[in-house]
Amino acid sequence: MSVFVTQLFNGLSLGSIMLFIAIGLAITFGLMGVINMAHGELIMVGAYATYVVQQFFAQYAPKSMDYYYIIAIPVSFFVSALLGLGLEKSLLCHLYHRPLDSLLATWGVSLILQQMARTIFGAPNVAVLPPEWLDGGVRVAGMVFPYKRLFILAFVAVSIFALYMYLNKTIAGRRIRAVTLNRDMAACLGISTQKVDAYAFAIGSGFAGLAGCALTLLGPIGPTIGTYYIVDAFMVVILGGVGKLIGTVLGAFGIGLIGTLTEYSTSATMAKVITFALIIVFLQWKPSGLVSMKTRSLD
C-alpha cells in the first residue's frame, strides 16, 4: 500500500508539472490555432528569470535569500508574458490562418532564443537553489512527501483556480471564451479579436514562464530545457481536447498517473511507449479528446 501511495503521489506530481507546462499552450492553441514551437523556450525564459532573481538576491540582499522565490514567481510570469506579447505583435499576427508558416516561424524563434540563452548564460546548465523552507518533506506512515513537490501541487492548484476565475468571472476572460467558441460572431458583436489574441497569447506565455519557475525546483536548467517538454505539452492539449481547460487538467493528470504506474512495473522507456500507445488508441476512438468543445460555428 505504501508503494502504491508513493507512486500515486509521484503521478500527481508529474501530472501537475505537465499541466503547468501545457496550460499556456492550451490557451494559445485553442484560441488561435497557432502551433507555437517556441512555447518550450518561453518556459526556458521563465526558468532563467528565476535564476536572475536568485543571483540578484545573492549579490544585493543575501539576508533575504529565503524570499527570492516569492519574488521570482511574478517576475517569471511578466517577463515571459511580455516576450510573448512582443512575439504576437511582431510576428504571429501576420500568420493567422497559415499554420505551416506559423510552425516554421515559431520554430525559428525557438532556435534564436536558445542561442541567445547560450550567449548570455553559457551552454552548461546552471543551478537554482531552492529556498530553505522547501528543504525536507512530510513523513507519513514511513513515506516521505517532499516539500518541493507539495509546493508545486499547491502552486498549480492556485494558478488553475486563478485562471478559471479570470476566464469565467471577468469581462476580458469572457471575451477570450467568446472568440474561442466563434471568432466571426464575436467580431460581429464588436469584440476586437486582434486584441483578444494579443493578451491571450501574453497570458499563455506567462503561464509558460510560471512552468519554468516551477521546474527550477526540480533540477538544473539550461538553454534546451524547453525542448524536453514541448512534445508532452502538445500531447496533453490534444488528449484533453482543444479549447477546454478541464480537458487539459484531466489529460495532464491522466498521463502523469499512467506513466508513473506503468513505470513501476516496467521501465521508464517502456512506460513512455505504453503511454503513447494508449493515447493513440484513445484518439482513434475519440479524436476530439477527453472533453470536446461545444460551439455554434458551422464547419
Side-chain angles (χ1 to χ4, degrees), residues 1-12 143 145 257 260-262 264:
M1 181 58 69
S2 62
V3 173
F4 175 77
V5 173
T6 301
Q7 291 299 111
L8 184 63
F9 175 76
N10 291 336
L12 292 175
M143 298 174 291
F145 302 103
L257 290 172
T260 53
L261 292 177
T262 54
Y264 174 72

Side-chain angles (χ1 to χ4, degrees), residues 67-259:
Y67 306 103
Y68 89 87
Y69 196 80
I70 304 300
I71 304 299
I73 291 174
V75 169
S76 61
F77 179 87
F78 285 110
V79 170
S80 296
L82 290 175
L83 180 60
L85 182 63
L87 178 62
E88 196 280 336
K89 288 291 187 181
S90 61
L91 180 63
L92 292 178
C93 64
H94 306 292
L95 299 176
Y96 292 144
H97 310 296
R98 297 162 60 183
L100 291 179
D101 292 341
S102 64
L103 187 150
L104 291 174
T106 54
W107 181 59
V109 170
S110 71
L111 297 179
I112 293 173
L113 291 176
Q114 285 186 29
Q115 190 57 45
M116 289 179 62
R118 291 189 182 95
T119 303
I120 298 173
F121 300 100
N125 291 349
V126 295
V128 178
L129 300 177
E132 291 184 0
W133 48 272
L134 285 178
D135 292 336
V138 178
R139 293 184 177 273
V140 179
M143 298 174 291
V144 179
F145 302 103
Y147 287 137
K148 296 176 185 177
R149 299 277 183 170
L150 293 172
F151 177 80
I152 291 176
L153 281 170
F155 190 13
V156 171
V158 171
S159 300
I160 296 301
F161 178 75
L163 179 61
Y164 173 82
M165 296 299 293
Y166 175 80
L167 293 177
N168 291 276
K169 303 299 181 181
T170 65
I171 296 176
R174 289 175 181 147
R175 287 174 179 169
I176 293 177
R177 294 177 61 199
V179 174
T180 303
L181 289 171
N182 194 321
R183 177 177 291 270
D184 295 333
M185 181 59 70
C188 291
L189 294 175
I191 296 177
S192 175
T193 58
Q194 292 182 345
K195 290 183 179 180
V196 171
D197 289 338
Y199 65 71
F201 196 88
I203 292 172
S205 301
F207 271 87
L210 291 179
C213 183
L215 288 174
T216 59
L217 297 176
L218 303 179
I221 60 173
T224 59
I225 185 174
T227 59
Y228 300 145
Y229 299 100
I230 186 65
V231 174
D232 291 336
F234 276 105
M235 184 170 59
V236 169
V237 172
I238 295 173
L239 176 64
V242 177
K244 297 295 290 185
L245 180 61
I246 185 62
T248 306
V249 174
L250 294 175
F253 283 108
I255 292 175
L257 290 172
I258 292 173

